Amino acid sequence: MGRPRRRGVAVQRRRKGVRDRHPRRARRPVLGQHCKEFVLDQAHTPWFAVFAPSAPHDPYHPSAEHAHDFDDVSWHPPAFNEKDMSDKAAFLRSHSPQDQHKMRRIWEGKLEELRDVDDELRDLMGLLADTGQLDNTVIMMVSDNGYLLGEHRLFQKKQPYEESTGIPFVVRGPGFAAGTSPKALVSQVDLMPTTLAAAGLDPDAHRALDGRSMLENLRSGDWSNWRRRLLSEDPKAGWAQLREGDLAYIDYYSPTPPSSTT
């Protein structure tokens, strides 16, 4: 986001409209190019942009440049295919172990596709610097979900475990405290009020928002007045998770246990 918002664009990869064996791979450079063109065109005008590549996402088709960057990468986290599931919910204890080779291959594909995303972000950051916009642009990097690759014998997302619900959030901007890694509990619901505040608007004016603006905390580096607990929920799967520090309380309130791909 460069300066207060006046013009905006959302750039997101779609799976339709490209005639290619691997449509997502074919559109990857196009997606980044559209965003770069917009940023360049608005260099002297306040703007807002959402750059939303779907990578990494199956099926994994990294570019030729990065297709072998992580060949045979190791994958065996401590929680992989737990042997003792006695402390888990009954429906979890019934899960069979995941195929380690399959999980490793998926991890390899994710890492290689992320290299392509890294290249796009490098080019965007370079463009912002070259056009004199980097120092007055707020940049937020966030994901929509985590991913389980055999931890606790689970696969994919939609499960109330840190590997699934925990996501990275990296931000830089003018006046922000640099080089800090706070353990504050933030969420996607905080992005809108933070963006409104950065644009000089009152996030709470005439609207009821679930999230809070992070702007002052990002500037000061002080998160002592921030929330101590964070609720996340998947109504479809029938669970709610309340986080505080390193602890989580999980309520499976659905009569049907959440499913996991095995």
Side-chain angles (χ1 to χ4, degrees):
M1 179 176 64
R3 305 175 190 173
R5 180 187 178 193
R6 190 174 300 165
R7 302 184 65 180
V9 65
V11 185
Q12 186 173 17
R13 181 176 297 117
R14 303 292 183 182
R15 294 192 178 187
K16 299 181 180 179
V18 178
R19 296 181 180 275
D20 184 85
R21 182 180 178 185
H22 304 307
R24 292 195 314 106
R25 180 176 62 187
R27 292 203 64 179
R28 185 172 294 126
V30 177
L31 183 71
Q33 186 60 34
H34 281 323
C35 193
K36 287 187 288 185
E37 290 173 358
F38 174 82
V39 170
L40 185 61
D41 291 343
Q42 310 305 318
H44 304 290
T45 305
W47 54 266
F48 175 86
V50 176
F51 176 58
S54 58
H57 199 289
D58 66 282
Y60 302 101
H61 298 295
S63 66
E65 181 180 358
H66 297 301
H68 301 288
D69 284 4
F70 290 93
D71 285 357
D72 302 319
V73 65
S74 175
W75 177 250
H76 201 291
F80 183 78
N81 280 342
E82 287 185 60
K83 293 182 179 180
D84 183 5
M85 298 284 284
S86 60
D87 62 338
K88 303 297 186 293
F91 77 94
L92 285 174
R93 294 198 296 268
S94 66
H95 285 316
S96 300
Q98 297 290 339
D99 184 297
Q100 185 172 10
H101 177 70
K102 176 183 177 182
M103 299 298 103
R104 192 209 62 78
R105 286 286 295 168
I106 293 173
W107 178 236
E108 177 182 312
K110 287 183 179 294
L111 291 176
E112 290 173 348
E113 284 205 344
L114 277 172
R115 280 290 178 89
D116 289 318
V117 176
D118 286 345
D119 289 349
E120 291 182 288
L121 293 177
R122 176 201 61 203
D123 293 345
L124 281 170
M125 296 288 284
L127 179 61
L128 288 170
D130 292 343
T131 55
Q133 301 182 78
L134 186 59
D135 290 339
N136 66 354
T137 299
V138 175
I139 301 169
M140 301 181 186
M141 292 188 287
V142 66
S143 179
D144 57 346
N145 60 265
Y147 211 83
L148 287 148
L149 287 171
E151 298 95 334
H152 323 293
R153 301 187 184 182
L154 296 171
F155 179 41
Q156 297 183 339
K157 50 188 178 181
K158 298 182 180 180
Q159 298 287 346
Y161 277 94
E162 180 64 17
E163 296 90 346
S164 176
T165 60
I167 57 175
F169 177 64
V170 180
V171 61
R172 78 181 306 275
F176 288 5
T180 60
S181 300
K183 295 184 178 181
L185 294 171
V186 301
S187 169
Q188 292 102 325
V189 297
D190 300 320
L191 299 180
M192 180 179 176
T194 303
T195 302
L196 290 171
L201 302 174
D202 180 0
D204 298 316
H206 311 297
R207 54 180 76 86
L209 299 178
D210 292 326
R212 300 171 54 181
S213 171
M214 299 176 281
L215 190 60
E216 292 305 316
N217 306 86
L218 290 169
R219 287 172 173 167
S220 67
D222 180 8
W223 295 83
S224 59
N225 66 342
W226 193 251
R227 68 168 68 93
R228 294 175 53 203
R229 302 176 184 89
L230 179 66
L231 178 69
S232 57
E233 184 177 17
D234 188 337
K236 187 176 181 180
W239 58 259
Q241 178 193 68
L242 184 64
R243 281 287 308 273
E244 180 175 353
D246 294 329
L247 301 177
Y249 175 79
I250 301 167
D251 179 23
Y252 295 103
Y253 56 78
S254 172
T256 303
S259 61
S260 173
T261 304
T262 57

